[in-house]
Amino acid sequence: MAEQSGDKKSSFKKLGARHKARRRAVDLLFEAEARDVDVADLLGERVELAERDQAVAPVAPYTNILVEGVADDLDRVDGTIESYLQDWTLERLPAVDRAILRIAVWELFHANDVPPVVAVDEAVELAKELSTDDSPSFVNGVLGQVVSLAPQVRAAAAATRASDRDHEA
């Protein structure tokens, strides 16, 4: 029994670390858009700053993965989000909601170690923490529709990776 509760604690800590990484990724995406700078450049600056100044929290590896992933696949992520917005455009959304949705959609499509329900729950939680009272239900509604696409997108990505490996061999 003690072993099981230890597993729960380590699992909780892992989720807590991932939540903090997601929140930092939202902050970086939001800041890059507000300052009209490249998010990858901003991420690099923050990594360097944390290495130079111990008072600055280091950038978690999962934050790097999320920010770089969203930046690399931004057109598909944004296109997916836009296709599920009713009576809205991506530009009209609050910037923080855009950042949250971008991270969640990227996770749904690419993070094989993140169950879809976790990606959606985390996005809703971030919306509760960072955005308006209406945002959690809005984010949940959009992502609830995107979830149905995730298995096909993940399968296509896996097939592409396998094909790329075959061509390299």
Side-chain angles (χ1 to χ4, degrees), residues 28-42 45:
L28 288 166
L29 290 172
F30 178 87
E31 181 181 347
E33 184 175 331
R35 292 178 48 205
D36 196 25
V37 298
D38 182 75
V39 71
D41 292 342
L42 180 62
E45 289 173 17

Side-chain angles (χ1 to χ4, degrees), residues 12-26 62-63 66 103 107 118 121-130:
F12 178 75
K13 283 184 179 183
K14 185 175 183 181
L15 291 175
R18 285 261 174 121
H19 181 76
K20 289 176 188 172
R22 286 180 184 96
R23 185 175 175 139
R24 185 108 185 249
V26 168
Y62 197 62
T63 298
L66 291 171
I103 288 168
E107 279 190 305
V118 172
D121 287 350
E122 283 288 320
V124 169
E125 192 59 38
L126 287 166
K128 286 178 186 175
E129 292 172 23
L130 301 171

Side-chain angles (χ1 to χ4, degrees), residues 5 33 39 46 49 57 65-66 93 95 98 102 108 112 119 135-136 140 144 146 150 168:
S5 87
E33 184 175 331
V39 71
R46 293 301 151 78
L49 181 60
I65 290 168
L66 291 171
L93 293 181
R98 253 191 320 273
R102 285 171 171 161
L108 286 169
N112 294 323
S135 291
N140 189 53
V146 174
E168 289 174 4

Side-chain angles (χ1 to χ4, degrees), residues 73 76-77 105-112 153-154 157 161:
D73 201 24
R76 179 167 38 167
V77 167
V105 169
W106 185 88
E107 279 190 305
L108 286 169
F109 287 176
H110 299 287
N112 294 323
V153 173
R154 286 183 182 193
R161 284 191 303 272

Side-chain angles (χ1 to χ4, degrees), residues 22-169:
R22 286 180 184 96
R23 185 175 175 139
R24 185 108 185 249
V26 168
D27 291 345
L28 288 166
L29 290 172
F30 178 87
E31 181 181 347
E33 184 175 331
R35 292 178 48 205
D36 196 25
V37 298
D38 182 75
V39 71
D41 292 342
L42 180 62
L43 176 64
E45 289 173 17
R46 293 301 151 78
V47 169
E48 287 177 24
L49 181 60
E51 289 170 355
R52 286 193 317 266
D53 185 348
Q54 290 186 340
V56 175
V59 177
Y62 197 62
T63 298
N64 277 314
I65 290 168
L66 291 171
V67 170
E68 290 173 359
V70 168
D72 290 345
D73 201 24
L74 188 61
D75 289 340
R76 179 167 38 167
V77 167
D78 281 357
T80 300
I81 295 167
E82 278 193 309
S83 69
Y84 290 104
L85 297 178
Q86 295 174 348
D87 302 323
W88 283 88
T89 62
L90 196 60
E91 295 77 31
R92 282 188 57 213
L93 293 181
V96 70
D97 291 357
R98 253 191 320 273
I100 291 167
L101 285 167
R102 285 171 171 161
I103 288 168
V105 169
W106 185 88
E107 279 190 305
L108 286 169
F109 287 176
H110 299 287
N112 294 323
D113 62 332
V114 178
V117 68
V118 172
V120 173
D121 287 350
E122 283 288 320
V124 169
E125 192 59 38
L126 287 166
K128 286 178 186 175
E129 292 172 23
L130 301 171
S131 197
T132 68
D133 289 344
D134 294 333
S135 291
S137 60
F138 176 78
V139 165
N140 189 53
V142 171
L143 295 177
Q145 296 175 46
V146 174
V147 163
S148 64
L149 287 178
Q152 294 104 338
V153 173
R154 286 183 182 193
T160 301
R161 284 191 303 272
S163 176
D164 290 348
R165 280 193 303 270
D166 290 346
H167 286 98
E168 289 174 4

